[in-house]
Amino acid sequence: MLNYNLILLAIATSIDALAAGFSLAFTKHLNIIFSVAIIGFITFIICFSGVYIGNKANKFLTTKAEFFGAFVLIILGIKTFFI
């Protein structure tokens, strides 16, 4: 079954990566190969950790995870709005 939310999140992440790539391209005195390697390595570690933790937490959180994620985003939005 195709999950359209996952496709939309992938597109949003790709647009974010495109913007980061443009900003790296215009930075002078930067070793682009080294930067890409570091960004790729850190992204891999964080994504792998997220999948591992998410798989383990699935037993405990189930539907509560969506509410917790929404709560965190609302708190961050309120903080951003007032600061």
Side-chain angles (χ1 to χ4, degrees):
M1 181 172 186
L2 189 60
N3 189 346
Y4 293 108
N5 289 333
L6 187 60
I7 292 172
L8 291 175
L9 288 172
I11 291 170
T13 304
S14 298
I15 292 171
D16 183 49
L18 179 68
F22 278 136
S23 65
L24 282 175
F26 293 118
T27 305
K28 295 187 188 270
H29 309 294
L30 179 71
N31 185 351
I32 194 73
I33 302 298
F34 180 71
S35 299
V36 168
I38 294 296
I39 291 169
F41 177 73
I42 292 173
T43 302
F44 173 76
I45 295 297
I46 291 173
C47 289
F48 186 81
S49 301
V51 169
Y52 181 77
I53 293 169
N55 192 16
K56 294 293 182 184
N58 186 28
K59 299 172 188 171
F60 304 110
L61 297 178
T62 59
T63 59
K64 296 175 187 174
E66 290 182 13
F67 293 114
F68 179 71
F71 177 74
V72 169
L73 288 175
I74 289 170
I75 295 300
L76 288 173
I78 291 171
K79 180 184 173 205
T80 303
F81 183 73
F82 286 113
I83 291 180

